[in-house]
Amino acid sequence: MNTAWIFEQLDIISSIGESVEGGQNRLAFSENDMKAREFLKHLINQIGLEYREDTFGNIFALYNTGSENQIVATGSHIDTVPNGGRYDGTLGVITSLAAIKEIKENKENIRHPLELIVFQAEESSRFGHSTMGSKIISGKLENFVQWEQSRDNDGISLVQAMKDTGYNFYDINKSVIEKDRYKYFLELHIDQSKTLMNANVPVAVVDGIAAPLRVRVTIFGEAAHSGSTAMRDRKDALVIASELILAIRNISLAYDERQAVATVGKIDIFPNAINVVPGTAVMYVDIRGIHAKTIEELFGLIRAESSKIALRYKASSEIELLSSEKPCALNNIVTDTIEQSCIDLNIPYIHTISGAGHDTMNMAELAECGMIFVRNVSGISHHKNESILNEDIEKGALVLHDALLKLSR
Ligand SMILES: [Zn+2]
């Protein structure tokens, strides 16, 4: 594996849109994003591959020697959050390209064509919608009107930003890809948690991508004078909410973290005044897991607990479902292949799940998917300090290369 080549390309891409402090700024459809994409196209040509770009700016570079039609694809994104890290997305793109380059140069005998996909607008930072490019190609774009109306912080609409960079928003639906084009899809990504760092392993086989179910719980207590209302006569909505928050924590602790987690991240109380016993508390719960059934189960337990606690205070509660996304279990054949590559290469690994969303979730509509995580030695992501060891990059790239070979033979 030509790791020097990988480091060199990572350096070049990272220099595009880099702030003085080292943060990466390649927001989707920005000038820097376009510059980096131009560089990638040049790199693809240099390797002797042809590329096509769809109506949204997703880039596809095909290496076709296969006798069978179904493509084995690999890739990630190069757009970033403001002041993002060097590796989020970009590492997957460059290692994918390096793997295909290696397979091409070694004239490996493969049955399926290989393809690099560089997704556009994975990050939601600019227009508020995530994994846009992969949603489009997989036919998962549902909120066309919301996308059409979305604007960035400077008031520039997605429609305008696309127009300014040579794309037509009203053509995006032309980029949906037919269901039988891909056989497998693999994404290598930097770990966006401390999991691999804590486990002290360079890579991980990802078993699934968690998705959030979000609910709003409203506690109806009774607002009252904070001085004249006896403690035993109170229906303090915030006290009830506090008990519920602790109950949610205890219920979730009983679940393996790989299965599900739940968080109360936001709470509003009314009237929110120092001399009034809180009458109403509105809390927002985010429940995540990799199996829809487990998420539902946890949701059910939280629902039961909220009415039970409210009842104890002679108050009432209401729970509303705000949104429910489908978690993505990754394909066994692909995860087993990645695992076998780690074993064959003698690279230590663990199994993990992804708490963050990725383009792979959408690609699962088009192909059997798998993900490889590479250790993040900073333990943080979406931050300029995101960091990774060169030797881990090499190990990740080797696993990706080997798994692609195995899957395309
Ligand atoms: Zn990413």
Side-chain angles (χ1 to χ4, degrees):
M1 198 84 201
N2 190 344
T3 44
W5 186 88
I6 294 177
F7 300 143
E8 193 186 322
Q9 312 319 322
L10 281 172
D11 281 344
I12 296 173
I13 293 208
S14 302
S15 71
I16 305 170
E18 191 170 46
S19 70
V20 191
E21 297 81 26
Q24 301 287 310
N25 294 282
R26 292 188 301 277
L27 268 72
F29 296 107
S30 65
E31 203 184 321
N32 288 329
D33 182 34
M34 288 301 122
K35 256 190 223 166
R37 304 179 92 75
E38 279 311 308
F39 168 71
L40 268 178
K41 291 177 200 168
H42 153 84
L43 208 56
I44 290 164
N45 275 335
Q46 213 176 46
I47 292 167
L49 299 174
E50 301 222 330
Y51 69 82
R52 73 173 181 94
E53 199 174 347
D54 70 11
T55 53
F56 192 64
N58 294 306
I59 299 169
F60 305 83
L62 187 68
Y63 171 50
N64 193 357
T65 60
S67 52
E68 297 203 9
N69 295 328
Q70 276 197 309
I71 295 169
V72 175
T74 175
S76 198
H77 62 98
I78 56 164
D79 64 308
T80 70
V81 302
N83 275 308
R86 281 173 60 112
Y87 304 101
D88 178 358
T90 308
L91 183 66
V93 170
I94 297 299
T95 51
S96 292
L97 197 51
I100 296 175
K101 176 175 180 279
E102 182 101 351
I103 291 168
K104 182 173 183 288
E105 283 171 2
N106 294 342
K107 300 190 171 63
E108 299 279 4
N109 201 358
I110 53 171
R111 287 198 309 157
H112 295 276
L114 287 170
E115 189 175 81
L116 163 75
I117 309 180
V118 186
F119 298 103
Q120 175 57 294
E122 193 271 348
E123 303 289 0
S124 57
S125 316
R126 187 165 183 197
F127 295 108
H129 301 282
S130 63
T131 62
M132 296 173 97
S134 54
K135 274 190 184 121
I136 290 170
I137 66 170
S138 61
K140 281 179 77 180
L141 165 54
E142 283 156 4
N143 35 7
F144 188 87
V145 177
Q146 270 175 287
W147 282 29
E148 186 186 22
Q149 289 166 353
S150 64
R151 288 175 185 275
D152 67 9
N153 289 338
D154 300 323
I156 300 168
S157 67
L158 170 64
V159 177
Q160 188 63 45
M162 286 184 67
K163 196 176 170 192
D164 292 346
T165 44
Y167 304 95
N168 181 353
F169 177 79
Y170 297 98
D171 279 344
I172 59 177
N173 275 327
K174 290 181 183 161
S175 293
V176 178
I177 290 179
E178 62 277 22
K179 293 270 182 200
D180 57 353
R181 183 171 170 83
Y182 295 106
K183 186 164 181 66
Y184 298 118
F185 175 76
L186 270 180
E187 181 171 7
L188 178 147
H189 204 279
I190 185 168
D191 179 21
Q192 292 176 286
S193 71
K194 295 181 168 64
T195 309
L196 274 70
M197 186 171 79
N198 292 340
N200 200 24
V201 290
V203 297
V205 181
V206 182
D207 293 328
I209 303 170
L213 178 144
R214 291 182 173 141
V215 296
R216 176 168 48 216
V217 185
T218 309
I219 311 283
F220 300 101
E222 199 171 73
H225 195 288
S226 66
S228 58
T229 318
M231 292 308 285
R232 64 174 180 279
D233 292 336
R234 295 180 183 201
K235 293 180 187 175
D236 186 325
L238 184 57
V239 170
I240 300 169
S242 309
E243 278 206 29
L244 182 56
I245 291 168
L246 290 177
I248 290 171
R249 173 181 154 81
N250 290 332
I251 293 167
S252 313
L253 272 177
Y255 283 80
D256 182 330
E257 270 177 37
R258 290 165 45 83
Q259 299 301 320
V261 292
T263 311
V264 178
K266 177 174 155 70
I267 180 162
D268 298 315
I269 58 165
F270 302 95
N272 203 20
I274 193 166
N275 57 348
V276 184
V277 174
T280 309
V282 183
M283 47 199 269
Y284 295 83
V285 195
D286 172 301
I287 308 169
R288 289 178 194 236
I290 60 167
H291 300 295
K293 206 173 144 267
T294 321
I295 299 174
E296 280 296 325
E297 193 181 301
L298 194 49
F299 176 32
L301 290 171
I302 291 171
R303 178 200 293 274
E305 200 64 24
S306 65
S307 47
K308 208 169 86 188
I309 297 173
L311 211 63
R312 215 167 60 225
Y313 285 87
K314 298 188 178 64
S316 63
S317 69
E318 184 183 276
I319 186 161
E320 299 154 84
L321 182 67
L322 297 177
S323 67
S324 170
E325 280 175 45
K326 217 172 84 190
C328 171
L330 296 172
N331 177 263
N332 283 341
I333 299 170
V334 185
T335 51
D336 288 351
T337 305
I338 298 168
E339 182 161 13
Q340 194 55 51
S341 295
C342 294
I343 295 166
D344 292 349
L345 294 161
N346 207 10
I347 292 172
Y349 67 95
I350 54 164
H351 283 266
T352 190
I353 62 150
S354 175
H358 293 285
D359 289 308
T360 298
M361 294 184 304
N362 303 323
M363 285 306 289
E365 299 287 322
L366 296 178
E368 307 291 5
C369 292
M371 284 194 84
I372 302 164
F373 275 180
V374 181
R375 170 166 50 191
N376 179 343
V377 289
S378 62
I380 49 171
S381 191
H382 284 182
H383 191 279
K384 66 180 175 57
N385 291 348
E386 178 189 81
S387 78
I388 198 163
L389 302 174
N390 279 355
E391 60 200 72
D392 288 356
I393 292 180
E394 177 168 16
K395 289 182 179 117
L398 284 169
V399 172
L400 177 65
H401 169 260
D402 193 72
L404 282 175
L405 262 182
K406 284 184 164 82
L407 292 171
S408 59
R409 272 180 177 144

